[in-house]
Amino acid sequence: MTASYWQNYIDGAFVDGGAGPLDIENPATGEILARQALADAADIDAAVTAARRCHESGVLSAMRPCDRGRKVHEMGIWISHHADEIAEIHTLDVGKPLWESKKEIAGAVRYFEYYGQMAQSLEGTSIPLGGHYLDFTLLEPYGVSAQIIPWNFPFEIAARSIAAGLATANACVVKTPELAPLSSTYLARAAEAAGLPPGAVNIVCGHGHEAGAALAAHERIDQMVFTGSVETGIKVAAATARNIVPNVLELGGKSAAIIHKDADLDLVIRSVRMGIFLNSGQVCSAMSRALVHASRHDEFVERAAELARSLVVGPGIEHPEFGANMGSMISQKQRDRAENLCARAEKEGARACTGGRKLNREGAFLEPTILDKVEPESEIAKTEVFGPVLSVIKFHDENEAVKIANSTQYGLVGGVFTPDIDLALSTSKRMRGGQIFINEWFAGGVETPFGGYGKSGYGREKGREALRNYVQTKNIAIRLNREQG
Ligand code: NAD
């Protein structure tokens, strides 16, 4: 049974919010699921103050890194013990199939394990300056890490930033998305269960324009990790710039798979399944464009449409196991936006081989959609739909494919399908993107750095590389009285 009212977590206590409770809707039914406390600017200030106090007390940075890392890992262990409960509420909150929620929770657990274990291995360097000096660097936490989370993978994305933030001894203030806040409460409970000190983890839900804007503009945050749209990323970057606060920006994408003439279409179709229909396509790194060699185009379109038609679309709670199923989108507003983009694409000459319409039932459902005959310069080819909509574009040679792939404002990820490794690497190196998948969309893991080129953002999350964004380097140079050999 779902709790009816969910609070924020500030300074080690569950609290109400000054912006009043918000009704949280189950997008698969339109019913009110629960009420969430909403933070106002004063609550954000309280959370930042608590995090600041925690940081300045030295309790996190004085801990031996292996002990701090163990606490981070313990958060993950606690979450894994509550995974079924979290997955169920998550699915009711966001609409994705239950098996996808379980996968998201497992991904979050991996971040706590991975960064927990890594806490003890972050090291500075010593720099030779000749006999009269000893010089070395320390990697110090920024202090207060502010983190703004989107609604599409709210649990996993918050986990990746909290785990990296705590592993490097930062106190975290996490602004969770107002469309999907419920599961994040379990991150607060995990921090409590792991015995983290008050203020080390603060979980606060609020409206973007109110709580999010207050956090980004706050004078006493030291670092910002923002994941969301380009439009909001620009606002956050501008607000943090006024206080010279560095950012990691993980923004949107319009990523292309290049399917060469010798591609194994079985592999390609498996990648289409996950690439554009996972989470109803509401994935920043979704395969939203398939660029297909002209000689394989008809075969590809037929098989992609067959795949799309095979998916059973319905409430996520009915799908506990991986299979041919897809859940609802996050809201009717997002669904209607995606449907309108499809309708305009058809007016511009695209052909919906299948899908493109909302389902004739309650809930935020859109048919899995394959759009063929998409022009590379059309709106649908350039705009992030953030829905289960694959645009298919024909190409004739590698140069043309790369040119089309690189023709959007984004550069998040890309994919290349061919058994010819020389061709795969040559295409990969020419594609503009922070991560290129060869022969399997989403190949990688928590270990692999993730982030964008172009308007997809800057900085990297995931992998060892991400930790560099959570620490600042202090160089210490010692003048020695006696020259050392
Ligand atoms: P969004 O930009 O609308 O919201 C993201 C977060 O920012 C939310 O918590 C929101 O409340 C907050 N926000 C809104 N206005 C704000 C403001 N003025 N100041 C501060 N915070 C504010 O994005 P969304 O709709 O939640 O998520 C979808 C977008 O996120 C897509 O573009 C998607 O591609 C992107 N995304 C990127 C990644 C990545 O890792 N690169 C991952 C997931 C989603």
Side-chain angles (χ1 to χ4, degrees), residues 103-169:
K103 198 168 141 62
E104 182 175 346
I105 310 305
V109 170
R110 262 298 278 146
Y111 282 115
F112 287 110
E113 177 187 45
Y114 178 72
Y115 285 121
Q117 289 172 350
M118 205 172 272
Q120 61 188 316
S121 70
L122 258 197
E123 295 169 346
T125 51
S126 76
I127 298 162
L129 285 182
H132 278 295
Y133 297 93
L134 177 63
D135 189 285
F136 58 94
T137 61
L138 299 176
L139 301 180
E140 297 189 334
Y142 275 103
V144 176
S145 171
Q147 305 170 357
I148 298 183
I149 312 296
W151 48 257
N152 60 341
F153 291 90
F155 196 78
E156 194 170 359
I157 290 175
R160 85 181 176 200
S161 301
I162 294 172
L166 288 176
T168 45

Side-chain angles (χ1 to χ4, degrees), residues 12 16 40 52 126 143 196 232 234 256 287 292 295 325 350 370 420 424 437 448 454 468 479:
D16 295 334
D40 61 9
R52 181 101 251 131
S126 76
L196 281 156
T232 312
I234 292 169
M287 182 205 286
V292 191
S295 64
N325 52 62
I370 306 292
D420 177 344
F437 309 119
T448 47
R468 300 297 308 196
R479 165 77 196 191

Side-chain angles (χ1 to χ4, degrees), residues 147-153 157 160 175-179 206-217 224 226-233 235-236 239 249-254 282-285 330 334 384 386 410 412 450-452 456-457 461:
Q147 305 170 357
I148 298 183
I149 312 296
W151 48 257
N152 60 341
F153 291 90
I157 290 175
R160 85 181 176 200
K175 208 296 280 175
T176 62
E178 58 272 51
L179 272 173
H207 285 303
H209 61 82
E210 187 174 17
L215 184 57
M224 166 64 73
F226 172 79
T227 309
S229 61
V230 174
E231 195 188 354
T232 312
K235 288 185 193 158
V236 167
L249 295 181
E250 296 286 1
L251 309 176
K254 186 72 192 179
Q282 302 164 118
V283 182
C284 52
S285 49
I330 190 72
Q334 282 294 121
E384 186 180 42
F386 229 54
Y410 299 109
L412 193 52
F450 175 69
S456 291
E461 284 278 81

Side-chain angles (χ1 to χ4, degrees), residues 299-364:
E299 190 188 350
F300 171 80
V301 167
E302 195 178 310
R303 291 192 60 178
E306 191 186 325
L307 166 75
R309 283 192 286 264
S310 75
L311 298 178
V312 174
V313 183
I317 203 72
E318 293 170 7
H319 299 299
E321 305 296 337
F322 171 72
N325 52 62
M326 198 179 80
S328 80
M329 294 181 67
I330 190 72
S331 66
Q332 301 209 3
K333 187 170 162 215
Q334 282 294 121
R335 192 271 317 277
D336 292 346
R337 176 181 172 274
E339 190 188 31
N340 286 335
L341 275 161
C342 291
R344 287 206 296 275
E346 286 188 82
K347 276 199 189 122
E348 273 196 87
R351 183 174 75 89
C353 311
T354 186
R357 308 269 181 277
K358 62 183 178 192
L359 257 56
N360 185 17
R361 60 174 292 172
E362 206 48 61

